[in-house]
Amino acid sequence: MSDRLLKFLFHDAPVRGEVVRLAEVWQQVIEHHDYPAPVLALLGQMTAAAALLAANIKFNGALSLQIEGDGPVRLLVVECQPDFRLRATAKLRADAPVPADATLRTLVNARGQGRCAITLDPQDRQPGQQPYQGIVSLTGDSIAHALESYMRQSEQLDTRLWLAADTRAASGVLLQKLPAEGGRAAQARDTDAWDRTTTLAGTLTPPELLDNDPEQLVRKLFWQERLEHGAAFAPRFECRCSRGRIGRMLLSLGRGEVEDILREQDRVEVTCDFCNQVQSFDAVDVGQLFATGDSRNEVPERRH
């Protein structure tokens, strides 16, 4: 089953929906990492959620979903570009084992200091303009609950999410109640649709989410409903790391600090957290970098 994201509307009803299933994308995200099962599940749910939110929010730019944790998980990051290029990573604390039955709270909010941020970075951002960032509470018992709370607060729209992930796939369903004033919602005659559709979606089990492609899942859930199908998208994995980006990072550190690393290790090696690609700079590379200020070093950017 190919990676796919579907959008749809309920006929004569103030409700819209999305379904996503990531298989190949998700395999590429985790192939270079050995995450414990609870961490893998949480990162997969975040990856599916990021794709759903990016499709739901009318915005021309990158959406980042990031959790900073105070438990065994220090950081989880998912980034979704406007054309649904996705990448994701997790960083764990070496001295904090992950229990097999770990929950969202024990993974990232053990002492109540965990936080989740959603960042929207416009493609056409003007000089000096800062990305928009909203903070999500982690008081719920799942990332779905936290994001539902965010959508209610930031968009003033009732939103429900169902998310699941394992080693095979990451999947999710989003339903949203449209504004009561103006547009489609004002003309809707099926006023019971929100309660009915969320009740139907609430019957989903994680295996059903993971084992069905989006078209199958929509048919199984809403076969009695009249739907208006919208756009379909094909998400894909792509890491934006490059030798040029790493070079710019080294330039920002300053020559003294970079040469200290050279003396200690004979070369500077930087591993991308997302794809595990290693960029290596020896003394000649570093000398050229700081002499010319050219971070590209004649090495083409790698795409995945």
Side-chain angles (χ1 to χ4, degrees):
M1 289 181 283
S2 61
D3 296 4
R4 200 151 169 81
L5 188 151
L6 297 181
K7 301 179 71 172
F8 53 93
L9 291 164
F10 290 85
H11 186 73
D12 281 343
V15 183
R16 63 185 169 200
E18 299 171 4
V19 180
V20 67
R21 186 177 189 273
L22 307 172
E24 183 176 346
V25 169
W26 182 232
Q27 293 303 310
Q28 291 175 296
V29 166
I30 64 175
E31 67 177 338
H32 297 297
H33 304 279
D34 186 22
Y35 297 129
V39 177
L40 182 143
L42 179 56
L43 185 63
Q45 291 170 29
M46 287 177 60
T47 304
L52 292 168
L53 293 178
N56 186 64
I57 298 172
K58 293 181 179 178
F59 173 74
N60 183 27
L63 181 145
S64 296
L65 183 56
Q66 177 174 313
I67 288 179
E68 295 181 13
D70 62 5
V73 175
R74 180 164 62 87
L75 183 68
L76 299 135
V77 181
V78 181
E79 181 185 272
C80 184
Q81 296 296 319
D83 57 356
F84 296 96
R85 288 173 290 139
L86 287 156
R87 61 178 187 166
T89 190
K91 289 190 174 183
L92 311 184
R93 290 186 168 85
D95 58 348
V98 177
D101 60 349
T103 63
L104 176 70
R105 179 178 295 278
T106 57
L107 283 175
V108 300
N109 204 30
R111 294 178 294 279
Q113 300 300 309
R115 68 176 202 145
C116 179
I118 295 177
T119 304
L120 302 177
D121 190 1
Q123 276 194 335
D124 54 355
R125 180 154 51 99
Q126 300 301 310
Q129 180 185 359
Q130 296 299 311
Y132 169 79
Q133 185 175 81
I135 306 300
V136 177
S137 169
L138 288 177
T139 54
D141 59 4
S142 71
I143 187 64
H145 291 162
L147 294 176
E148 288 169 357
S149 176
Y150 168 81
M151 294 300 289
R152 282 193 298 270
Q153 293 171 16
S154 67
E155 304 289 323
Q156 284 80 54
L157 294 175
D158 285 331
T159 305
R160 293 292 311 277
L161 281 161
W162 294 266
L163 304 167
D166 61 12
T167 56
R168 299 171 298 129
S171 301
V173 173
L174 179 149
L175 293 179
Q176 189 168 73
K177 189 175 183 180
L178 298 176
E181 296 181 2
R184 184 186 186 90
Q187 303 170 15
R189 294 188 292 272
D190 188 352
T191 56
D192 296 326
W194 176 248
D195 289 338
R196 185 175 70 252
T197 56
T198 54
T199 298
L200 288 169
T203 65
L204 278 172
T205 64
E208 286 176 312
L209 261 174
L210 295 169
D211 293 341
N212 291 278
D213 65 32
E215 288 87 354
Q216 290 172 325
L217 200 58
V218 170
R219 284 196 297 271
K220 284 187 175 186
L221 282 176
F222 306 123
W223 64 275
Q224 288 185 309
E225 305 290 334
R226 291 179 63 190
L227 300 180
E228 300 172 18
H229 292 278
F233 304 94
R236 68 187 191 277
F237 173 79
E238 182 176 287
C239 187
R240 297 187 298 117
C241 71
S242 69
R243 189 173 181 84
R245 287 174 180 267
I246 301 302
R248 289 192 291 274
M249 183 269 289
L250 296 180
L251 286 170
S252 71
L253 289 177
R255 187 163 195 156
E257 186 169 345
V258 174
E259 289 184 342
D260 285 344
I261 299 172
L262 271 176
R263 281 190 289 272
E264 292 176 6
Q265 303 178 9
D266 192 42
R267 63 183 57 247
V268 180
E269 290 190 342
V270 180
T271 302
C272 175
D273 292 326
F274 293 93
C275 68
N276 262 13
Q277 180 183 356
V278 178
Q279 295 289 351
S280 180
F281 294 75
D282 61 17
V284 173
D285 296 328
V286 169
Q288 179 183 345
L289 180 66
F290 282 93
T292 65
D294 183 358
S295 63
R296 292 170 297 175
N297 257 358
E298 302 303 321
V299 177
E301 185 169 350
R302 175 182 171 185
R303 292 293 182 184
H304 305 276

